[in-house]
Amino acid sequence: MKPVATCAEQRRTSRPRADALRNRERIVAAAREMFVEFGPDVPLDEVARRAGVGNATLYRNFPDRAALIHEVVLAVTSRTTDRVEEAVAAESDPFAALSRFVHAAADERIGALCPMLSGGFDTAHPELLAERRRLEEAVEGLVERAMSAGRLRTDIAVGDVLVALSQLTRPLPGIACLDIDRFTHRHLQLFLDGLEAPARSALPGSAATLEDLRSGC
C-alpha cells in the first residue's frame, strides 16, 4: 500500500510550486514595467534583476523574448478586461462606468502594448485572440449601455474608444518624463468630455468599428 503523505511532506512538495508561480508573476510584472519604460528590447537580464530572480529562473519560465512578450500582452489584456467588470460593478451611470474604465485602462499601460504587437511573436495565438475578444466584447458592452442610456454620442463606435485609448496611453518617443501619467489622464478626460451626449460638433468620417480594427482599417 502506498504510504499517505504527511501534512509537512505535502507542504514541502507544494511550496516549490507556489514559489515558482510567484517568481513567474514577478517576472511578468517587472517585464511589463520595463517594456513601458524602455521598450520591448530591454535586456532580459535587467528584467530578471528588477524581478529579483536569477537569469536561469527567467529563462526557465520564458525561454525567449517572444514568450515573455506573449505573457505580458496576455496579462495586460486580461487585467484590462477585469477593469471593465470592476467599472460596471462600481458605477450605476453607464457613462461614468465607461469613464472609470478608460482611466483604469490607462493605469494598466495598455497603450504600451502597441509597439510590442509588431514584435516577433505569434499575435494570432489562440490564447491571445480569445483574451482580445473578451476585452473587445466587454468594452462594446460598456459603449452600448452608455449609448442606450442617452449618455454617449451616437456617431461613434467601440473602435473609436479603443483607438483613442491606445493612442493617448502610448508613451511618447524620446520623453523621459516619469510623471507622464498626469498628462495622460488629463488628455483622456478631454477625450471623454468629447464623447458625452449631447454632441457639440459633427465628427468627420465614419465611426471606427471592431471590424475596421481587425481588418487594419
Side-chain angles (χ1 to χ4, degrees):
M1 179 183 294
K2 185 176 180 180
V4 178
T6 66
C7 292
E9 288 170 339
Q10 289 174 342
R11 283 196 297 271
R12 281 196 297 272
T13 57
S14 63
R15 189 174 299 123
R17 290 196 292 270
D19 289 347
L21 179 60
R22 283 194 293 271
N23 283 339
R24 186 179 180 88
E25 290 171 347
R26 282 199 291 265
I27 293 167
V28 172
R32 172 178 167 268
E33 293 173 0
M34 298 195 76
F35 288 163
V36 170
E37 293 174 27
F38 306 109
D41 295 326
V42 64
L44 296 188
D45 59 342
E46 293 296 328
V47 173
R49 185 174 293 110
R50 179 170 296 194
V53 302
N55 287 357
T57 299
L58 186 149
Y59 285 107
R60 185 162 55 248
N61 283 275
F62 305 103
D64 54 33
R65 184 179 302 274
L68 180 56
I69 292 177
H70 170 99
E71 195 65 25
V72 170
V73 172
L74 190 66
V76 173
T77 305
S78 177
R79 284 166 57 96
T80 303
T81 306
D82 292 343
R83 302 293 85 81
V84 177
E85 297 167 358
E86 291 168 5
V88 171
E91 303 287 351
S92 58
D93 175 6
F95 189 83
L98 177 63
S99 300
R100 186 185 187 101
F101 160 71
V102 166
H103 285 290
D107 290 335
E108 293 297 336
R109 304 297 201 276
I110 192 169
L113 288 178
C114 297
M116 286 188 273
L117 292 176
S118 61
F121 76 108
D122 184 10
T123 57
H125 190 285
E127 196 176 26
L128 290 174
L129 291 178
E131 200 58 55
R132 175 182 171 181
R133 193 173 302 113
R134 191 170 78 94
L135 174 60
E136 291 173 345
E137 290 173 355
V139 179
E140 194 168 33
L142 272 183
V143 168
E144 289 174 353
R145 283 191 291 273
M147 201 172 286
S148 296
R151 298 283 284 115
L152 182 68
R153 60 189 300 162
T154 58
D155 56 348
I156 66 104
V158 64
D160 293 303
V161 175
L162 293 175
V163 168
L165 182 57
S166 67
Q167 292 296 322
L168 291 173
T169 59
R170 185 182 300 191
L172 296 176
I175 301 296
C177 179
L178 299 179
D179 197 23
I180 194 68
D181 283 356
R182 66 189 180 97
F183 300 114
T184 298
H185 287 287
R186 178 181 176 86
H187 297 154
L188 283 173
Q189 191 57 51
L190 287 171
F191 164 67
L192 287 165
D193 287 348
L195 289 183
E196 197 166 4
R200 295 178 176 82
S201 62
L203 294 176
S206 58
T209 66
L210 289 177
E211 288 70 27
D212 291 330
L213 300 187
R214 289 167 185 158
S215 65
C217 301

